[in-house]
Amino acid sequence: GAGVSQSPRYKVAKRGQDVALRCDPISGHVSLFWYQQALGQGPEFLTYFQNEAQLDKSGLPSDRFFAERPEGSVSTLKIQRTQQEDSAVYLCASSYGGRSSGNTIYFGEGSWLTVV
Amino acid sequence: AQSVTQLGSHVSVSEGALVLLRCNYSSSVPPYLFWYVQYPNQGLQLLLKYTSAATLVKGINGFEAEFKKSETSFHLTKPSAHMSDAAEYFCAVSVMNYGGSQGNLIFGKGTKLSVKP
């Protein structure tokens, strides 16, 4: 597609519910990032994939967060047993080269998660 | 470790006035620096980036930023504000070819720009 596509755009989950957020990166992009943006804050890094390999998951806040990119294109971020502090915008981003290449990183519009 | 500080969470200017959004960074190795803009309910759009070439970087929509190593700054400017510039602006730093979290963007907390008619 023309840009990074994320779905759903808006999700309301009850506390304790599992959610799955999908990201379609720009076709051919090797690198894929997930960021979390809390209200009034800048985005914070969660995890990074190069093709299908998850090379960095240092930003995942707990073992309730899990991400995958099994075929090196579409990625899913899964949050188990959601809690209110998980309420945030989850941004997906992709770039053509590896993350050290200096290539421009393109962001999707985000998935807005509200946990009630 | 790298970090970014954006001075002023809100900046208000009149239409036609100079826009100046401040960003200071901390990095133990030469950084790459970025400015992104975020319009309401939208994702981040790259305005410009510094990757160790010219210190004065020109971006989209008439914005530019100057890398000043001595001041560890990368302030964003635009000579004349337009109503359509009203948005939130994020400064970010990353480090290439460095161990650990190389290449990850580290963002500041953002500055919301308001433009008065």
PDB file of all heavy atoms in Angstrom, chain B residues 66-80:
ATOM      1  N   GLU B  66      18.719  23.624  12.505  1.00  0.00           N
ATOM      2  CA  GLU B  66      20.170  23.714  12.482  1.00  0.00           C
ATOM      3  C   GLU B  66      20.771  22.882  13.595  1.00  0.00           C
ATOM      4  O   GLU B  66      20.404  23.038  14.769  1.00  0.00           O
ATOM      5  CB  GLU B  66      20.637  25.161  12.608  1.00  0.00           C
ATOM      6  CG  GLU B  66      22.144  25.305  12.433  1.00  0.00           C
ATOM      7  CD  GLU B  66      22.592  26.750  12.370  1.00  0.00           C
ATOM      8  OE1 GLU B  66      21.760  27.654  12.617  1.00  0.00           O
ATOM      9  OE2 GLU B  66      23.780  26.974  12.079  1.00  0.00           O
ATOM     10  N   PHE B  67      21.685  21.990  13.228  1.00  0.00           N
ATOM     11  CA  PHE B  67      22.399  21.176  14.202  1.00  0.00           C
ATOM     12  C   PHE B  67      23.564  21.987  14.749  1.00  0.00           C
ATOM     13  O   PHE B  67      24.431  22.435  13.997  1.00  0.00           O
ATOM     14  CB  PHE B  67      22.917  19.898  13.547  1.00  0.00           C
ATOM     15  CG  PHE B  67      23.835  19.080  14.411  1.00  0.00           C
ATOM     16  CD1 PHE B  67      23.348  18.447  15.540  1.00  0.00           C
ATOM     17  CD2 PHE B  67      25.183  18.940  14.092  1.00  0.00           C
ATOM     18  CE1 PHE B  67      24.192  17.686  16.340  1.00  0.00           C
ATOM     19  CE2 PHE B  67      26.030  18.178  14.885  1.00  0.00           C
ATOM     20  CZ  PHE B  67      25.538  17.542  16.013  1.00  0.00           C
ATOM     21  N   LYS B  68      23.573  22.197  16.069  1.00  0.00           N
ATOM     22  CA  LYS B  68      24.664  22.916  16.733  1.00  0.00           C
ATOM     23  C   LYS B  68      25.259  22.000  17.780  1.00  0.00           C
ATOM     24  O   LYS B  68      24.713  21.848  18.883  1.00  0.00           O
ATOM     25  CB  LYS B  68      24.161  24.207  17.361  1.00  0.00           C
ATOM     26  CG  LYS B  68      23.743  25.257  16.330  1.00  0.00           C
ATOM     27  CD  LYS B  68      23.400  26.585  17.003  1.00  0.00           C
ATOM     28  CE  LYS B  68      23.073  27.636  15.968  1.00  0.00           C
ATOM     29  NZ  LYS B  68      22.744  28.955  16.599  1.00  0.00           N
ATOM     30  N   LYS B  69      26.405  21.413  17.431  1.00  0.00           N
ATOM     31  CA  LYS B  69      27.030  20.442  18.326  1.00  0.00           C
ATOM     32  C   LYS B  69      27.449  21.082  19.643  1.00  0.00           C
ATOM     33  O   LYS B  69      27.284  20.490  20.712  1.00  0.00           O
ATOM     34  CB  LYS B  69      28.247  19.820  17.634  1.00  0.00           C
ATOM     35  CG  LYS B  69      28.933  18.731  18.434  1.00  0.00           C
ATOM     36  CD  LYS B  69      30.095  18.142  17.665  1.00  0.00           C
ATOM     37  CE  LYS B  69      30.800  17.070  18.483  1.00  0.00           C
ATOM     38  NZ  LYS B  69      31.946  16.485  17.726  1.00  0.00           N
ATOM     39  N   SER B  70      27.975  22.303  19.582  1.00  0.00           N
ATOM     40  CA  SER B  70      28.477  22.967  20.791  1.00  0.00           C
ATOM     41  C   SER B  70      27.359  23.242  21.789  1.00  0.00           C
ATOM     42  O   SER B  70      27.587  23.317  22.992  1.00  0.00           O
ATOM     43  CB  SER B  70      29.175  24.270  20.431  1.00  0.00           C
ATOM     44  OG  SER B  70      28.275  25.154  19.802  1.00  0.00           O
ATOM     45  N   GLU B  71      26.131  23.397  21.265  1.00  0.00           N
ATOM     46  CA  GLU B  71      24.991  23.679  22.129  1.00  0.00           C
ATOM     47  C   GLU B  71      24.111  22.441  22.317  1.00  0.00           C
ATOM     48  O   GLU B  71      23.093  22.521  23.009  1.00  0.00           O
ATOM     49  CB  GLU B  71      24.145  24.814  21.536  1.00  0.00           C
ATOM     50  CG  GLU B  71      24.898  26.121  21.398  1.00  0.00           C
ATOM     51  CD  GLU B  71      24.077  27.211  20.739  1.00  0.00           C
ATOM     52  OE1 GLU B  71      22.866  27.001  20.498  1.00  0.00           O
ATOM     53  OE2 GLU B  71      24.650  28.277  20.454  1.00  0.00           O
ATOM     54  N   THR B  72      24.485  21.329  21.700  1.00  0.00           N
ATOM     55  CA  THR B  72      23.671  20.089  21.681  1.00  0.00           C
ATOM     56  C   THR B  72      22.211  20.425  21.383  1.00  0.00           C
ATOM     57  O   THR B  72      21.293  19.976  22.081  1.00  0.00           O
ATOM     58  CB  THR B  72      23.802  19.284  22.986  1.00  0.00           C
ATOM     59  OG1 THR B  72      23.341  20.064  24.104  1.00  0.00           O
ATOM     60  CG2 THR B  72      25.228  18.856  23.211  1.00  0.00           C
ATOM     61  N   SER B  73      22.022  21.238  20.337  1.00  0.00           N
ATOM     62  CA  SER B  73      20.661  21.669  20.006  1.00  0.00           C
ATOM     63  C   SER B  73      20.318  21.346  18.560  1.00  0.00           C
ATOM     64  O   SER B  73      21.203  21.189  17.705  1.00  0.00           O
ATOM     65  CB  SER B  73      20.494  23.165  20.263  1.00  0.00           C
ATOM     66  OG  SER B  73      21.247  23.921  19.326  1.00  0.00           O
ATOM     67  N   PHE B  74      19.024  21.287  18.316  1.00  0.00           N
ATOM     68  CA  PHE B  74      18.496  21.047  16.970  1.00  0.00           C
ATOM     69  C   PHE B  74      17.134  21.734  16.912  1.00  0.00           C
ATOM     70  O   PHE B  74      16.102  21.109  16.772  1.00  0.00           O
ATOM     71  CB  PHE B  74      18.398  19.545  16.704  1.00  0.00           C
ATOM     72  CG  PHE B  74      18.109  19.172  15.274  1.00  0.00           C
ATOM     73  CD1 PHE B  74      18.941  19.584  14.243  1.00  0.00           C
ATOM     74  CD2 PHE B  74      17.011  18.375  14.954  1.00  0.00           C
ATOM     75  CE1 PHE B  74      18.691  19.228  12.925  1.00  0.00           C
ATOM     76  CE2 PHE B  74      16.742  18.003  13.636  1.00  0.00           C
ATOM     77  CZ  PHE B  74      17.584  18.431  12.633  1.00  0.00           C
ATOM     78  N   HIS B  75      17.125  23.048  16.999  1.00  0.00           N
ATOM     79  CA  HIS B  75      15.882  23.815  17.048  1.00  0.00           C
ATOM     80  C   HIS B  75      15.224  23.891  15.675  1.00  0.00           C
ATOM     81  O   HIS B  75      15.899  24.034  14.649  1.00  0.00           O
ATOM     82  CB  HIS B  75      16.148  25.232  17.552  1.00  0.00           C
ATOM     83  CG  HIS B  75      16.780  25.274  18.913  1.00  0.00           C
ATOM     84  ND1 HIS B  75      16.553  24.325  19.888  1.00  0.00           N
ATOM     85  CD2 HIS B  75      17.620  26.201  19.469  1.00  0.00           C
ATOM     86  CE1 HIS B  75      17.229  24.620  20.970  1.00  0.00           C
ATOM     87  NE2 HIS B  75      17.899  25.759  20.753  1.00  0.00           N
ATOM     88  N   LEU B  76      13.907  23.867  15.677  1.00  0.00           N
ATOM     89  CA  LEU B  76      13.109  23.904  14.451  1.00  0.00           C
ATOM     90  C   LEU B  76      12.575  25.314  14.246  1.00  0.00           C
ATOM     91  O   LEU B  76      12.052  25.919  15.189  1.00  0.00           O
ATOM     92  CB  LEU B  76      11.938  22.928  14.565  1.00  0.00           C
ATOM     93  CG  LEU B  76      11.002  22.805  13.356  1.00  0.00           C
ATOM     94  CD1 LEU B  76      11.709  22.089  12.204  1.00  0.00           C
ATOM     95  CD2 LEU B  76       9.732  22.046  13.738  1.00  0.00           C
ATOM     96  N   THR B  77      12.700  25.823  13.023  1.00  0.00           N
ATOM     97  CA  THR B  77      12.217  27.178  12.744  1.00  0.00           C
ATOM     98  C   THR B  77      11.435  27.215  11.439  1.00  0.00           C
ATOM     99  O   THR B  77      11.595  26.352  10.562  1.00  0.00           O
ATOM    100  CB  THR B  77      13.376  28.188  12.648  1.00  0.00           C
ATOM    101  OG1 THR B  77      14.256  27.784  11.583  1.00  0.00           O
ATOM    102  CG2 THR B  77      14.155  28.279  13.946  1.00  0.00           C
ATOM    103  N   LYS B  78      10.577  28.240  11.363  1.00  0.00           N
ATOM    104  CA  LYS B  78       9.880  28.553  10.124  1.00  0.00           C
ATOM    105  C   LYS B  78       9.675  30.059  10.126  1.00  0.00           C
ATOM    106  O   LYS B  78       9.197  30.608  11.128  1.00  0.00           O
ATOM    107  CB  LYS B  78       8.546  27.825  10.030  1.00  0.00           C
ATOM    108  CG  LYS B  78       7.793  28.109   8.731  1.00  0.00           C
ATOM    109  CD  LYS B  78       6.540  27.250   8.610  1.00  0.00           C
ATOM    110  CE  LYS B  78       5.815  27.570   7.296  1.00  0.00           C
ATOM    111  NZ  LYS B  78       4.623  26.698   7.090  1.00  0.00           N
ATOM    112  N   PRO B  79      10.047  30.760   9.059  1.00  0.00           N
ATOM    113  CA  PRO B  79      10.015  32.230   9.080  1.00  0.00           C
ATOM    114  C   PRO B  79       8.621  32.818   9.289  1.00  0.00           C
ATOM    115  O   PRO B  79       8.469  33.836   9.953  1.00  0.00           O
ATOM    116  CB  PRO B  79      10.560  32.604   7.695  1.00  0.00           C
ATOM    117  CG  PRO B  79      11.311  31.418   7.217  1.00  0.00           C
ATOM    118  CD  PRO B  79      10.610  30.223   7.815  1.00  0.00           C
ATOM    119  N   SER B  80       7.607  32.159   8.736  1.00  0.00           N
ATOM    120  CA  SER B  80       6.275  32.739   8.767  1.00  0.00           C
ATOM    121  C   SER B  80       5.239  31.641   9.015  1.00  0.00           C
ATOM    122  O   SER B  80       5.047  30.764   8.165  1.00  0.00           O
ATOM    123  CB  SER B  80       5.986  33.448   7.434  1.00  0.00           C
ATOM    124  OG  SER B  80       4.662  33.948   7.406  1.00  0.00           O
TER     125      SER B  80
END
